[in-house]
Coordinates of all heavy atoms in Angstrom, one line a residue:
M233 N 0.8 -1.2 0.0 CA 0.0 0.0 0.0 C 0.9 1.2 0.0 O 1.8 1.4 0.8 CB -0.9 0.0 1.3 CG -1.8 1.2 1.4 SD -3.1 0.9 2.5 CE -2.5 1.6 4.0
S234 N 0.6 2.2 -0.9 CA 1.4 3.4 -1.0 C 1.0 4.4 0.1 O -0.1 4.3 0.7 CB 1.3 4.0 -2.3 OG -0.1 4.5 -2.5
R235 N 1.9 5.2 0.4 CA 1.7 6.3 1.4 C 2.1 7.6 0.8 O 2.8 7.6 -0.2 CB 2.6 6.0 2.7 CG 2.3 4.8 3.5 CD 1.2 4.8 4.4 NE 1.3 5.8 5.5 CZ 0.3 6.1 6.3 NH1 -0.8 5.5 6.2 NH2 0.5 7.0 7.3
A236 N 1.8 8.7 1.5 CA 2.2 10.0 1.0 C 2.9 10.6 2.2 O 2.6 10.4 3.4 CB 1.0 10.8 0.6
Y237 N 3.8 11.5 1.9 CA 4.7 12.1 3.0 C 4.8 13.6 2.8 O 4.8 14.1 1.7 CB 6.1 11.5 3.0 CG 6.0 10.0 3.2 CD1 5.9 9.1 2.1 CD2 6.0 9.5 4.4 CE1 5.8 7.8 2.3 CE2 5.9 8.1 4.6 CZ 5.8 7.2 3.5 OH 5.7 5.9 3.7
V238 N 4.9 14.3 3.9 CA 5.3 15.7 3.9 C 6.7 15.8 4.5 O 6.9 15.2 5.6 CB 4.3 16.6 4.7 CG1 4.8 18.0 4.9 CG2 2.9 16.5 4.1
V239 N 7.6 16.5 3.8 CA 8.9 16.7 4.3 C 9.1 18.2 4.5 O 8.8 19.0 3.6 CB 10.0 16.2 3.3 CG1 11.4 16.5 3.8 CG2 9.8 14.7 3.1
G240 N 9.4 18.6 5.7 CA 9.6 20.0 6.0 C 11.1 20.2 6.4 O 11.6 19.5 7.2
N241 N 11.7 21.2 5.7 CA 13.0 21.6 6.1 C 12.9 23.0 6.8 O 12.1 23.8 6.3 CB 13.8 21.8 4.8 CG 14.1 20.5 4.2 OD1 14.9 19.7 4.7 ND2 13.5 20.2 3.0
V242 N 13.5 23.1 7.9 CA 13.2 24.1 8.9 C 14.4 24.8 9.4 O 15.4 24.2 9.8 CB 12.4 23.5 10.1 CG1 12.1 24.6 11.1 CG2 11.2 22.7 9.6
T243 N 14.3 26.2 9.5 CA 15.3 27.0 10.2 C 14.5 27.7 11.3 O 13.7 28.6 11.0 CB 16.0 28.0 9.3 OG1 16.8 27.2 8.3 CG2 17.0 28.9 10.1
I244 N 14.8 27.4 12.5 CA 14.1 28.0 13.7 C 14.7 29.3 14.0 O 15.9 29.5 14.2 CB 14.2 27.0 14.9 CG1 13.5 25.7 14.6 CG2 13.5 27.7 16.1 CD1 13.8 24.6 15.6
R245 N 13.8 30.3 14.1 CA 14.2 31.7 14.5 C 13.8 32.0 15.9 O 14.4 32.9 16.6 CB 13.6 32.7 13.5 CG 14.1 32.6 12.1 CD 13.6 33.7 11.2 NE 12.1 34.0 11.3 CZ 11.2 33.4 10.6 NH1 11.6 32.6 9.6 NH2 9.9 33.7 10.7
D246 N 12.7 31.4 16.4 CA 12.2 31.7 17.7 C 11.8 30.4 18.4 O 10.8 29.8 18.1 CB 10.9 32.6 17.7 CG 10.4 33.1 19.0 OD1 10.4 32.3 20.0 OD2 10.0 34.2 19.1
A247 N 12.7 29.9 19.3 CA 12.5 28.6 19.9 C 11.3 28.5 20.7 O 10.6 27.4 20.7 CB 13.8 28.3 20.7
E248 N 10.9 29.5 21.4 CA 9.6 29.4 22.2 C 8.4 29.3 21.3 O 7.5 28.4 21.6 CB 9.5 30.6 23.1 CG 10.5 30.6 24.3 CD 10.3 31.8 25.2 OE1 9.2 32.3 25.3 OE2 11.3 32.2 25.8
K249 N 8.3 30.1 20.3 CA 7.2 30.0 19.4 C 7.2 28.6 18.7 O 6.1 28.0 18.4 CB 7.1 31.1 18.4 CG 6.7 32.4 19.0 CD 6.7 33.6 18.0 CE 6.3 34.9 18.6 NZ 6.3 36.0 17.6
W250 N 8.4 28.2 18.3 CA 8.5 26.9 17.6 C 8.0 25.8 18.5 O 7.3 24.9 18.0 CB 9.9 26.6 17.1 CG 10.0 25.4 16.3 CD1 10.6 24.2 16.7 CD2 9.5 25.2 15.0 NE1 10.5 23.3 15.7 CE2 9.8 23.8 14.6 CE3 8.8 25.9 14.1 CZ2 9.4 23.3 13.4 CZ3 8.4 25.4 12.9 CH2 8.7 24.1 12.6
A251 N 8.4 25.8 19.7 CA 7.9 24.8 20.7 C 6.4 24.8 20.8 O 5.8 23.7 20.9 CB 8.6 25.0 22.0
Q252 N 5.8 25.9 20.8 CA 4.3 26.0 20.9 C 3.7 25.4 19.6 O 2.8 24.6 19.7 CB 3.9 27.5 21.0 CG 2.4 27.6 21.1 CD 2.0 29.1 21.2 OE1 2.8 30.0 21.4 NE2 0.7 29.3 21.0
Y253 N 4.3 25.8 18.5 CA 3.8 25.2 17.2 C 3.9 23.7 17.2 O 2.9 23.0 16.9 CB 4.6 25.8 16.0 CG 4.3 25.2 14.7 CD1 3.2 25.4 14.0 CD2 5.3 24.3 14.2 CE1 3.0 24.8 12.7 CE2 5.1 23.7 13.0 CZ 4.0 23.9 12.3 OH 3.8 23.3 11.0
V254 N 5.1 23.2 17.6 CA 5.3 21.7 17.6 C 4.3 21.0 18.5 O 3.9 19.9 18.2 CB 6.8 21.5 18.0 CG1 7.0 20.0 18.3 CG2 7.7 21.9 16.8
A255 N 4.0 21.6 19.6 CA 3.1 21.0 20.6 C 1.6 20.9 20.0 O 0.9 20.0 20.3 CB 3.1 21.8 21.9
E256 N 1.3 21.9 19.1 CA -0.1 22.0 18.6 C -0.3 21.2 17.3 O -1.4 20.8 17.0 CB -0.5 23.4 18.5 CG -0.6 24.1 19.8 CD -1.1 25.6 19.7 OE1 -1.9 25.8 18.8 OE2 -0.6 26.4 20.5
V257 N 0.7 20.9 16.6 CA 0.6 20.2 15.3 C 0.0 18.8 15.4 O -0.9 18.5 14.6 CB 1.9 20.2 14.5 CG1 1.8 19.2 13.3 CG2 2.2 21.6 14.0
P258 N 0.4 18.0 16.3 CA -0.1 16.6 16.3 C -1.6 16.5 16.3 O -2.2 15.6 15.6 CB 0.5 16.0 17.6 CG 1.8 16.7 17.7 CD 1.4 18.1 17.3
A259 N -2.3 17.3 17.0 CA -3.8 17.3 17.0 C -4.4 17.5 15.7 O -5.5 17.1 15.3 CB -4.4 18.2 18.1
T260 N -3.7 18.3 14.8 CA -4.2 18.6 13.5 C -4.0 17.5 12.5 O -4.7 17.4 11.5 CB -3.5 19.9 12.9 OG1 -2.2 19.6 12.5 CG2 -3.6 21.1 13.8
L261 N -3.1 16.5 12.8 CA -2.8 15.4 12.0 C -3.8 14.3 12.1 O -4.2 13.6 11.1 CB -1.4 14.9 12.3 CG -0.2 15.8 12.1 CD1 1.0 15.1 12.6 CD2 -0.1 16.2 10.7
T262 N -4.3 14.1 13.3 CA -5.1 12.9 13.7 C -6.3 12.7 12.8 O -6.6 11.6 12.3 CB -5.5 13.0 15.1 OG1 -4.4 13.0 15.9 CG2 -6.3 11.7 15.5
P263 N -7.1 13.8 12.5 CA -8.3 13.5 11.6 C -8.0 13.1 10.2 O -8.9 12.5 9.6 CB -9.0 14.9 11.6 CG -8.4 15.7 12.8 CD -7.1 15.1 13.0
W264 N -6.8 13.2 9.8 CA -6.4 12.9 8.4 C -5.5 11.7 8.4 O -5.0 11.3 7.3 CB -5.7 14.1 7.7 CG -6.5 15.3 8.0 CD1 -6.1 16.4 8.8 CD2 -7.8 15.7 7.6 NE1 -7.1 17.3 8.9 CE2 -8.2 16.9 8.1 CE3 -8.7 15.0 6.7 CZ2 -9.4 17.5 7.9 CZ3 -9.9 15.6 6.5 CH2 -10.3 16.9 7.0
G265 N -5.3 11.0 9.5 CA -4.5 9.8 9.5 C -3.0 10.1 9.4 O -2.2 9.2 9.1
G266 N -2.7 11.3 9.8 CA -1.3 11.7 9.7 C -0.5 11.4 11.0 O -1.1 11.3 12.1
E267 N 0.8 11.1 10.8 CA 1.6 10.9 12.0 C 3.0 11.5 11.7 O 3.5 11.6 10.6 CB 1.7 9.4 12.3 CG 2.3 8.6 11.2 CD 2.4 7.1 11.6 OE1 2.9 6.8 12.7 OE2 2.0 6.3 10.7
I268 N 3.7 11.8 12.8 CA 5.1 12.3 12.7 C 6.0 11.1 12.7 O 6.0 10.4 13.7 CB 5.4 13.3 13.9 CG1 4.4 14.5 13.9 CG2 6.8 13.7 13.8 CD1 4.5 15.3 15.1
L269 N 6.8 11.0 11.7 CA 7.8 9.9 11.6 C 9.1 10.4 12.1 O 9.8 9.5 12.7 CB 7.9 9.4 10.1 CG 6.8 8.8 9.5 CD1 7.2 8.3 8.1 CD2 6.3 7.6 10.3
L270 N 9.4 11.6 11.9 CA 10.8 12.1 12.3 C 10.8 13.6 12.5 O 10.2 14.3 11.7 CB 11.8 11.8 11.2 CG 13.1 12.4 11.2 CD1 14.0 11.9 12.4 CD2 13.9 12.3 9.9
R271 N 11.3 14.0 13.6 CA 11.7 15.4 13.8 C 13.2 15.3 14.2 O 13.5 14.6 15.2 CB 10.9 16.0 15.0 CG 9.6 16.5 14.6 CD 9.1 17.4 15.8 NE 7.7 17.7 15.6 CZ 7.3 18.7 14.7 NH1 8.1 19.4 14.0 NH2 6.0 18.9 14.6
G272 N 14.0 16.0 13.5 CA 15.5 15.9 13.9 C 16.2 17.1 13.4 O 15.8 17.9 12.7
R273 N 17.5 17.1 14.0 CA 18.4 18.2 13.7 C 19.6 17.5 12.9 O 20.1 16.5 13.3 CB 18.9 18.8 15.0 CG 19.8 20.0 14.8 CD 19.9 20.9 16.0 NE 20.9 21.9 15.9 CZ 20.8 23.0 15.2 NH1 19.7 23.3 14.6 NH2 21.8 23.9 15.1
Q274 N 20.0 18.2 11.9 CA 21.1 17.7 11.1 C 22.4 17.4 11.9 O 22.8 18.2 12.7 CB 21.5 18.7 10.0 CG 22.5 18.3 9.0 CD 22.9 19.4 8.1 OE1 23.7 20.2 8.4 NE2 22.3 19.4 6.9
A275 N 22.9 16.2 11.8 CA 24.1 15.8 12.5 C 25.3 16.0 11.7 O 26.4 16.3 12.2 CB 23.9 14.3 12.9
A276 N 25.2 15.8 10.4 CA 26.3 16.0 9.5 C 25.8 16.1 8.0 O 24.8 15.5 7.7 CB 27.2 14.7 9.5
L277 N 26.5 16.9 7.3 CA 26.2 17.1 5.9 C 27.1 16.2 5.1 O 28.3 16.3 5.1 CB 26.3 18.6 5.4 CG 26.0 18.9 4.0 CD1 24.6 18.5 3.7 CD2 26.3 20.3 3.6
L278 N 26.5 15.2 4.4 CA 27.3 14.2 3.7 C 27.6 14.6 2.2 O 28.6 14.2 1.6 CB 26.7 12.9 3.8 CG 26.4 12.4 5.2 CD1 25.7 11.1 5.2 CD2 27.7 12.3 6.0
A279 N 26.7 15.3 1.6 CA 26.9 15.8 0.2 C 25.9 16.9 -0.1 O 24.9 17.0 0.6 CB 26.6 14.6 -0.7
G280 N 26.3 17.8 -1.0 CA 25.4 18.9 -1.4 C 25.3 20.0 -0.4 O 26.3 20.2 0.4
Q281 N 24.2 20.7 -0.5 CA 24.0 21.8 0.4 C 22.7 21.6 1.2 O 21.7 21.0 0.7 CB 23.8 23.1 -0.4 CG 25.1 23.4 -1.1 CD 24.9 24.7 -2.0 OE1 23.9 25.3 -2.0 NE2 26.0 25.0 -2.7
A282 N 22.6 22.0 2.4 CA 21.4 21.9 3.2 C 21.3 23.2 4.0 O 21.8 23.4 5.1 CB 21.5 20.7 4.2
P283 N 20.5 24.2 3.5 CA 20.4 25.5 4.1 C 19.7 25.4 5.5 O 19.9 26.3 6.3 CB 19.7 26.3 3.1 CG 19.0 25.4 2.2 CD 19.8 24.1 2.2
H284 N 18.8 24.4 5.6 CA 18.1 24.3 6.9 C 18.7 23.2 7.8 O 19.2 22.2 7.2 CB 16.6 23.9 6.6 CG 15.9 24.9 5.8 ND1 15.5 26.1 6.3 CD2 15.4 24.9 4.5 CE1 14.8 26.8 5.4 NE2 14.8 26.1 4.3
R285 N 18.7 23.4 9.0 CA 19.3 22.4 10.0 C 18.3 21.4 10.6 O 18.7 20.5 11.2 CB 20.0 23.2 11.1 CG 21.1 24.0 10.6 CD 22.3 23.2 10.1 NE 23.4 24.0 9.7 CZ 24.1 23.8 8.6 NH1 23.8 22.9 7.8 NH2 25.1 24.6 8.3
N286 N 17.0 21.7 10.5 CA 16.0 20.8 11.1 C 15.1 20.2 10.0 O 14.9 20.8 9.0 CB 15.2 21.6 12.1 CG 16.0 22.1 13.3 OD1 16.3 21.4 14.2 ND2 16.5 23.3 13.2
L287 N 14.6 19.0 10.3 CA 13.8 18.3 9.4 C 12.6 17.7 10.1 O 12.7 17.2 11.3 CB 14.7 17.2 8.8 CG 13.9 16.2 7.8 CD1 13.8 16.9 6.5 CD2 14.8 14.9 7.7
V288 N 11.5 17.6 9.4 CA 10.3 16.9 9.9 C 9.8 16.1 8.7 O 9.8 16.5 7.6 CB 9.2 17.8 10.5 CG1 8.7 18.8 9.5 CG2 8.1 17.0 11.1
V289 N 9.4 14.8 9.0 CA 8.7 14.0 8.0 C 7.4 13.5 8.6 O 7.4 12.9 9.7 CB 9.6 12.8 7.7 CG1 8.9 11.9 6.6 CG2 11.0 13.2 7.1
L290 N 6.3 13.8 7.9 CA 5.0 13.3 8.3 C 4.5 12.3 7.3 O 4.8 12.3 6.1 CB 4.0 14.5 8.2 CG 4.4 15.8 8.9 CD1 3.4 16.9 8.7 CD2 4.6 15.5 10.4
S291 N 3.8 11.3 7.8 CA 3.2 10.2 7.0 C 1.7 10.3 6.9 O 1.1 10.6 8.0 CB 3.7 8.9 7.5 OG 3.1 7.8 6.8
F292 N 1.1 10.1 5.8 CA -0.3 10.2 5.6 C -0.8 9.0 4.7 O 0.1 8.5 4.0 CB -0.8 11.5 4.9 CG -0.7 12.7 5.8 CD1 0.5 13.4 5.9 CD2 -1.8 13.2 6.4 CE1 0.6 14.5 6.6 CE2 -1.7 14.3 7.2 CZ -0.5 15.0 7.3
P293 N -2.0 8.6 4.8 CA -2.5 7.5 3.9 C -2.4 7.8 2.4 O -2.1 6.9 1.7 CB -4.0 7.3 4.3 CG -4.1 8.0 5.7 CD -3.1 9.1 5.7
D294 N -2.6 9.1 2.0 CA -2.5 9.4 0.6 C -2.4 10.9 0.5 O -2.4 11.7 1.4 CB -3.8 8.9 -0.1 CG -5.1 9.3 0.6 OD1 -5.2 10.5 1.0 OD2 -6.0 8.5 0.7
L295 N -2.2 11.3 -0.8 CA -2.0 12.7 -1.1 C -3.2 13.6 -0.8 O -3.1 14.7 -0.3 CB -1.5 12.9 -2.5 CG -1.1 14.3 -3.0 CD1 0.1 14.8 -2.1 CD2 -0.7 14.3 -4.4
D296 N -4.4 13.0 -1.0 CA -5.6 13.7 -0.7 C -5.7 14.1 0.8 O -6.1 15.1 1.2 CB -6.8 12.9 -1.1 CG -8.1 13.7 -0.8 OD1 -8.3 14.8 -1.4 OD2 -9.0 13.1 -0.1
S297 N -5.2 13.1 1.7 CA -5.2 13.4 3.1 C -4.3 14.5 3.5 O -4.6 15.3 4.3 CB -4.8 12.1 3.9 OG -5.8 11.1 3.7
I298 N -3.1 14.6 2.8 CA -2.2 15.7 3.0 C -2.9 17.0 2.6 O -2.8 18.0 3.4 CB -0.9 15.6 2.2 CG1 -0.1 14.4 2.7 CG2 -0.1 16.9 2.1 CD1 1.1 14.1 1.9
N299 N -3.5 17.1 1.5 CA -4.1 18.3 1.0 C -5.3 18.7 2.0 O -5.4 19.9 2.3 CB -4.7 18.1 -0.4 CG -3.5 18.0 -1.4 OD1 -2.5 18.6 -1.2 ND2 -3.8 17.3 -2.5
R300 N -6.1 17.8 2.5 CA -7.1 18.1 3.4 C -6.6 18.6 4.7 O -7.1 19.5 5.3 CB -8.1 16.9 3.5 CG -8.9 16.7 2.2 CD -9.9 15.6 2.3 NE -9.3 14.4 2.7 CZ -9.9 13.4 3.3 NH1 -11.1 13.4 3.7 NH2 -9.2 12.2 3.5
W301 N -5.5 17.9 5.2 CA -4.9 18.4 6.4 C -4.3 19.8 6.3 O -4.6 20.7 7.1 CB -3.7 17.4 6.8 CG -2.7 18.1 7.8 CD1 -3.0 18.3 9.1 CD2 -1.4 18.6 7.5 NE1 -1.8 18.9 9.7 CE2 -0.9 19.1 8.7 CE3 -0.7 18.6 6.3 CZ2 0.4 19.7 8.7 CZ3 0.6 19.2 6.4 CH2 1.1 19.7 7.6
Y302 N -3.6 20.1 5.2 CA -3.0 21.4 5.0 C -4.1 22.5 4.9 O -3.9 23.6 5.5 CB -2.1 21.4 3.8 CG -1.2 22.6 3.8 CD1 0.0 22.7 4.6 CD2 -1.6 23.8 3.1 CE1 0.7 23.9 4.6 CE2 -0.8 24.9 3.1 CZ 0.3 25.0 3.8 OH 1.1 26.1 3.9
A303 N -5.2 22.2 4.3 CA -6.2 23.1 4.1 C -7.2 23.2 5.3 O -8.0 24.1 5.3 CB -7.0 22.8 2.8
S304 N -7.1 22.3 6.2 CA -8.0 22.3 7.4 C -7.9 23.6 8.2 O -6.8 24.2 8.3 CB -7.7 21.1 8.3 OG -6.5 21.3 9.0
A305 N -9.0 24.0 8.8 CA -9.0 25.2 9.6 C -8.0 25.0 10.8 O -7.4 26.0 11.2 CB -10.4 25.4 10.2
A306 N -7.9 23.8 11.3 CA -7.0 23.6 12.5 C -5.6 23.9 12.1 O -4.8 24.6 12.9 CB -7.2 22.2 13.0
Y307 N -5.1 23.4 10.9 CA -3.7 23.7 10.6 C -3.6 25.1 10.1 O -2.5 25.7 10.4 CB -3.2 22.6 9.5 CG -1.7 22.9 9.3 CD1 -0.8 22.5 10.3 CD2 -1.3 23.5 8.2 CE1 0.5 22.8 10.2 CE2 0.1 23.8 8.0 CZ 1.0 23.4 9.1 OH 2.3 23.7 8.9
Q308 N -4.5 25.6 9.3 CA -4.4 27.0 8.8 C -4.2 28.0 9.9 O -3.5 28.9 9.8 CB -5.6 27.3 7.9 CG -5.6 26.6 6.6 CD -4.4 27.1 5.7 OE1 -4.3 28.3 5.4 NE2 -3.6 26.2 5.2
A309 N -4.9 27.7 11.1 CA -4.8 28.6 12.2 C -3.4 28.6 12.8 O -3.0 29.6 13.5 CB -5.8 28.1 13.3
L310 N -2.6 27.5 12.6 CA -1.2 27.5 13.1 C -0.2 28.1 12.2 O 1.0 28.3 12.6 CB -0.8 26.0 13.3 CG -1.6 25.3 14.5 CD1 -1.1 23.8 14.6 CD2 -1.4 26.0 15.8
I311 N -0.5 28.3 10.9 CA 0.5 28.9 10.0 C 1.1 30.2 10.4 O 2.3 30.4 10.3 CB -0.1 28.9 8.6 CG1 -0.3 27.4 8.1 CG2 0.8 29.7 7.6 CD1 -0.9 27.3 6.7
P312 N 0.3 31.2 10.9 CA 1.0 32.4 11.4 C 2.0 32.1 12.5 O 3.1 32.8 12.5 CB -0.2 33.2 11.9 CG -1.4 32.8 11.1 CD -1.2 31.3 11.0
L313 N 1.7 31.2 13.4 CA 2.6 30.9 14.5 C 3.9 30.3 13.8 O 5.0 30.6 14.2 CB 2.0 30.0 15.5 CG 2.9 29.5 16.6 CD1 3.4 30.7 17.4 CD2 2.1 28.5 17.5
R314 N 3.7 29.3 12.9 CA 4.8 28.6 12.3 C 5.7 29.7 11.6 O 6.9 29.6 11.7 CB 4.2 27.6 11.2 CG 5.3 26.9 10.5 CD 4.7 26.2 9.2 NE 4.5 27.2 8.2 CZ 3.7 27.0 7.1 NH1 3.2 25.8 6.9 NH2 3.6 27.9 6.2
D315 N 5.0 30.6 10.8 CA 5.8 31.5 10.1 C 6.5 32.6 10.9 O 7.6 33.1 10.6 CB 4.9 32.2 9.0 CG 4.5 31.3 7.9 OD1 5.1 30.2 7.8 OD2 3.6 31.6 7.2
D316 N 6.0 32.9 12.1 CA 6.7 33.7 13.1 C 7.9 33.0 13.7 O 8.9 33.6 14.0 CB 5.7 34.2 14.2 CG 4.8 35.3 13.8 OD1 5.0 35.9 12.7 OD2 3.8 35.5 14.6
A317 N 7.8 31.7 13.9 CA 8.8 30.9 14.6 C 9.9 30.5 13.7 O 11.0 30.3 14.2 CB 8.1 29.7 15.2
A318 N 9.7 30.2 12.4 CA 10.7 29.6 11.6 C 10.5 29.9 10.1 O 9.4 30.3 9.7 CB 10.6 28.1 11.9
T319 N 11.5 29.6 9.4 CA 11.4 29.5 7.9 C 11.2 28.0 7.6 O 12.0 27.2 8.1 CB 12.7 30.0 7.3 OG1 12.9 31.4 7.6 CG2 12.7 29.9 5.8
V320 N 10.2 27.7 6.9 CA 9.8 26.3 6.7 C 9.5 26.1 5.2 O 8.7 26.8 4.6 CB 8.5 25.9 7.5 CG1 8.1 24.5 7.2 CG2 8.8 26.1 9.0
D321 N 10.2 25.1 4.6 CA 9.9 24.7 3.2 C 9.2 23.3 3.4 O 9.8 22.4 3.9 CB 11.2 24.6 2.4 CG 11.9 25.9 2.2 OD1 11.2 26.9 2.1 OD2 13.1 25.9 2.2
L322 N 8.0 23.2 2.9 CA 7.2 22.0 2.9 C 7.0 21.4 1.5 O 6.7 22.2 0.6 CB 5.8 22.2 3.6 CG 5.7 22.5 5.0 CD1 4.3 22.7 5.4 CD2 6.3 21.4 5.8
A323 N 7.1 20.1 1.4 CA 6.8 19.5 0.1 C 6.1 18.2 0.4 O 6.4 17.5 1.4 CB 8.1 19.2 -0.7
A324 N 5.2 17.8 -0.5 CA 4.5 16.5 -0.4 C 5.1 15.5 -1.4 O 5.4 15.9 -2.6 CB 3.0 16.7 -0.7
Y325 N 5.1 14.3 -1.0 CA 5.7 13.2 -1.8 C 4.8 12.0 -1.8 O 4.2 11.7 -0.7 CB 7.1 12.8 -1.4 CG 8.1 13.8 -1.4 CD1 8.3 14.8 -0.4 CD2 8.9 14.0 -2.5 CE1 9.2 15.8 -0.4 CE2 9.9 15.0 -2.6 CZ 10.0 15.9 -1.5 OH 11.0 16.9 -1.6
E326 N 4.7 11.3 -2.9 CA 4.0 10.0 -2.9 C 5.0 8.9 -3.1 O 6.0 9.1 -3.7 CB 3.0 9.9 -4.1 CG 1.8 10.9 -4.0 CD 0.8 10.7 -5.1 OE1 1.2 11.1 -6.3 OE2 -0.3 10.2 -4.9
A327 N 4.7 7.8 -2.4 CA 5.7 6.7 -2.5 C 4.9 5.4 -2.8 O 3.7 5.3 -2.6 CB 6.4 6.5 -1.1

């Protein structure tokens, strides 16, 4: 069965606001079958360039679930907090 993923590359600017955002995101994932697979900080750069030092990987049942999660009122309400706290590049992938 295929899955879909959101990969976020992150540069945190305000640790307190980021912590608040991180605490509130999981509740927005549940209705869409989403889960956090990884939150991490870069340990070493092995090749290429990586302008962001932090990474998050979310897993969803399918691309439609990602789109519904991202467009949901619950997640949309968190975007201003996210954008105040960090620079975030998000991309969706199908596997």
Side-chain angles (χ1 to χ4, degrees):
M233 179 163 95
S234 66
R235 298 280 296 174
Y237 302 90
V238 172
V239 176
N241 292 289
V242 180
T243 297
I244 299 167
R245 294 188 310 269
D246 185 321
E248 288 182 28
K249 287 182 180 179
W250 184 252
Q252 180 184 350
Y253 169 79
V254 165
E256 294 184 33
V257 166
T260 72
L261 301 172
T262 303
W264 315 109
E267 63 180 312
I268 299 168
L269 294 183
L270 167 69
R271 277 196 192 279
R273 183 161 173 79
Q274 183 184 85
L277 181 61
L278 303 177
Q281 299 177 359
H284 299 289
R285 297 290 182 224
N286 295 280
L287 175 77
V288 61
V289 179
L290 310 175
S291 175
F292 288 85
D294 50 43
L295 190 56
D296 184 56
S297 296
I298 290 174
N299 292 328
R300 291 185 299 155
W301 161 73
Y302 192 83
S304 71
Y307 187 71
Q308 287 293 305
L310 291 179
I311 290 176
L313 177 60
R314 180 196 74 194
D315 291 348
D316 283 348
T319 300
V320 178
D321 296 327
L322 288 179
Y325 297 86
E326 290 183 291

